[in-house]
Amino acid sequence: MDAGDNDHRPGDPVRPLPPSQGAEPVIETHGLRMRYGSADVLHGVDLRVHQGEVVALLGPNGAGKTTTIEILEGFRRRSAGEVRVLGVDPDDGDEAWRARLGIVLQSWRDHGKWRVRELLDHLGRYYTPYGTPRRARPYDAGELLGLVGLTDRADAVVGTLSGGQRRRLDVAIGLVGRPDLLFLDEPTVGFDPQARREFHELVQRLSDLEDTAILLTTHDLDEAEKLADRIVILAGGRIVADGNAAELAGRVSGKAEVRYSRDGEHHVESVEDATGHVRELFATYGEAIGDLEVRRISLEDVYMTLVHEFESGRRTEAPSELTEVAR
Amino acid sequence: MSSRMVAVRAGLQRGWIEFRQSTTNGQDLWSVMFFPIISLVVMFLLRHNTVPGTGFSLGSQSIPGILGMNVVLNGMVALALSLTMDREDGTLLRAKATPNGMIGYLTGKVLSRTGTAVVGLLIPLIPALFLFDGLELGGVSSWVTLVWVLALGLVALLPIGAVLGSVFNTAQGMGFVTLPIMMLMGVSGVFYPISAFPEWLQWLAQVFPLYWLGLGLRSAMLPETLAATEVGESWRHLETIGVLGLWAIAGLLLAPVVLRRMARRESGSAVAVRRQKAMQRTM
């Protein structure tokens, strides 16, 4: 789609072009594994992200989200498996490759003495040689500040920004090279509700207007549902669910939670056919059934159930009904 | 323009911005001037003492050494410290995430540290010229010597600073470096001619660059006759170039290897871990 971004630029060593980008995913991993010492953190992750797509990577702490992202960013060498990011193996990614990535990590506190606009201008300069006719690099600092709502703080010293403002500056810096692919690691931690909403609007604008693919991690399921075209749940170093919000919701809405008491003892069951199940309950136990409650399972419930099952070791294989949601 | 040249130019801008920050900020300026101000006050009180075997003021004799020491502090030590701090707050990782960012980062760092070290030498020199007699900075040759000694000294010191800053993981770890440097200052003839020290101590001092930087600066600022009080009764310019040159070569060979190894290990989780440790320390 955007092969022009791989054009040879003067002054850079000639780099073989990756095969035609037509249908090539922006991120593609096969059997990605990571092992620290004797502990396996990733057990074969297969992940695809396409141009302009927003994918949310969910999972409990220690599920391997950060490790996955750091491998994709080229900050960490994998133990095994195939990885292509923008058509390049991140372990061999050169500076021209890096120029097409935007990275927003959790814990930036850097450049505290710099002024907001000064820093954005400065970091933008490095991207100048990597511009293409279709994608001018870098972003204009003033325009970018407007985009993240920091125009009135342009001359502020970075160290004096509030938590939410700092985070928005981090996002602006991640965007300054007008990336084809943006990594957002828990972008809205510490945001107040208004800042969060503004940020969500920004992310939607980015993927719509700039055709930027975004891979974000979050603990906020509402956020994932609102922002992401597709949700990937990682638990215990494996992908246990992969599908867009509607598909996942469709998958789970057939299931419902049935709560009831029988002879004073409480039961909770998750069933496909709630009505049939309840009919059966009454047919079998009649008067003994009380406190009946039928509830559709929310995304949060699915997430909690899956993660809990993985953590307690009851499930070692991904549930077949959730992994292969077709794209 | 090649992408690397773009990064070098961005690095020049970076160096200027950081230099401006450290010279317009009271706290930074104090840390640049702290050592020479204290030392000048002490030596002013001792100005009536003389260098053994001469009628020359010990206070005046110590000025070049004090300024040399300040170059070590503001060049080498401050570079090492800022490298560890930049790793703690993610500045270095930011450079790594930017195309050719490390080139710009290092260019800027070397430049801003050089600027600060030069300022740290020149500014205390002004009151020193009024307070102490006998400094000779009227001739062109004095300034020529001062410039080449300072330039060579910085080329020798900055790579060492980069290595130290890469090896020590935290700003706290750098504390272990400051102590030996203070001891080195004691034996390197900053305040007192080392010709008065036991011979083994003289040899020890002459291994390290601080002594030679001080000697070179003394040769630039003091009257020719004072050479008689030095080891070998000479300013020993050739030896100065030799020893500082060797340190420079060793540092320039070692620093890129160590820096690359350090940068390769940087990642978001590494920064997060370090940040957590730093927070635990302050609690």
Side-chain angles (χ1 to χ4, degrees), chain A:
Chain A
M1 267 168 258
D2 199 3
D5 276 7
N6 289 300
D7 281 349
H8 173 60
R9 280 161 289 272
D12 280 328
V14 181
R15 194 163 52 89
L17 291 180
S20 157
Q21 291 215 313
E24 198 185 17
V26 174
I27 295 176
E28 189 168 26
T29 76
H30 287 296
L32 171 60
R33 285 171 184 277
M34 189 70 202
R35 168 181 284 248
Y36 295 120
S38 61
D40 281 322
V41 178
L42 299 176
H43 303 266
V45 168
D46 297 338
L47 180 68
R48 268 164 178 265
V49 177
H50 296 265
Q51 190 171 20
E53 194 179 25
V54 181
V55 174
L57 194 56
L58 305 182
N61 293 328
K65 292 180 311 238
T66 303
T67 300
T68 304
I69 285 205
E70 286 186 352
I71 290 169
L72 298 174
E73 288 165 344
F75 286 167
R76 199 171 279 281
R77 283 178 183 272
R78 63 187 182 272
S79 305
E82 281 293 307
V83 179
R84 306 281 279 178
V85 173
L86 299 169
V88 175
D89 182 334
D91 285 354
D92 309 328
D94 60 5
E95 301 301 315
W97 172 78
R98 183 147 299 290
R100 299 177 60 199
L101 300 184
I103 294 174
V104 180
L105 294 177
Q106 284 178 41
S107 53
W108 295 119
R109 289 180 304 151
D110 59 308
H111 293 93
K113 289 179 182 170
W114 288 57
R115 291 182 190 281
V116 170
R117 196 197 167 100
E118 178 182 63
L119 179 60
L120 214 46
D121 261 329
H122 171 74
L123 291 173
R125 291 181 65 157
Y126 295 87
Y127 293 89
T128 323
Y130 300 104
T132 63
R134 274 211 56 200
R135 222 174 173 89
R137 290 186 164 107
Y139 238 114
D140 175 69
E143 199 184 327
L144 201 49
L145 286 173
L147 202 63
V148 298
L150 281 178
T151 306
D152 54 336
R153 301 293 278 153
D155 294 318
V157 173
V158 172
T160 65
L161 297 180
S162 73
Q165 288 171 340
R166 168 80 230 204
R167 207 79 193 102
R168 278 182 275 162
L169 172 62
D170 289 336
V171 173
I173 293 172
L175 289 173
V176 74
R178 218 182 273 267
D180 295 285
L181 169 61
L182 179 66
F183 294 100
L184 291 172
D185 204 356
E186 301 194 13
T188 56
V189 172
F191 276 33
D192 59 40
Q194 193 191 338
R196 186 179 303 252
R197 168 169 292 188
E198 283 170 6
F199 180 79
H200 290 169
E201 285 165 7
L202 170 64
V203 168
Q204 277 152 358
R205 226 176 317 162
L206 283 172
S207 69
D208 292 348
L209 298 181
E210 299 283 339
D211 219 9
T212 304
I214 299 175
L215 181 63
L216 68 98
T217 69
T218 180
H219 282 297
D220 182 340
L221 290 159
D222 288 338
E223 179 167 280
E225 205 164 349
K226 208 172 288 175
L227 288 183
D229 301 317
R230 195 150 53 87
I231 292 165
V232 174
I233 300 177
L234 200 62
R238 286 186 177 83
I239 290 178
V240 297
D242 181 349
N244 70 36
E247 284 166 337
L248 279 188
R251 283 273 156 188
V252 297
S253 66
K255 280 200 171 187
E257 199 174 75
V258 180
R259 294 167 181 261
Y260 60 94
S261 64
R262 198 177 91 217
D263 300 325
E265 202 180 318
H266 286 271
H267 295 265
V268 181
E269 279 168 296
S270 182
V271 294
E272 294 277 354
D273 175 14
T275 314
H277 186 73
V278 169
R279 192 183 295 126
E280 210 170 294
L281 279 176
F282 280 116
T284 316
Y285 303 107
E287 294 286 309
I289 300 294
D291 301 318
L292 180 70
E293 203 182 312
V294 178
R295 210 154 62 94
R296 296 194 128 193
I297 294 180
S298 67
L299 181 61
E300 188 173 333
D301 291 326
V302 174
Y303 172 83
M304 295 307 282
T305 311
L306 278 171
V307 166
H308 180 72
E309 284 181 355
F310 263 82
E311 283 182 341
S312 58
R314 262 182 285 158
R315 196 194 284 273
T316 49
E317 291 301 316
S320 55
E321 78 264 29
L322 282 171
T323 34
E324 293 302 327
V325 176
R327 265 204 63 79

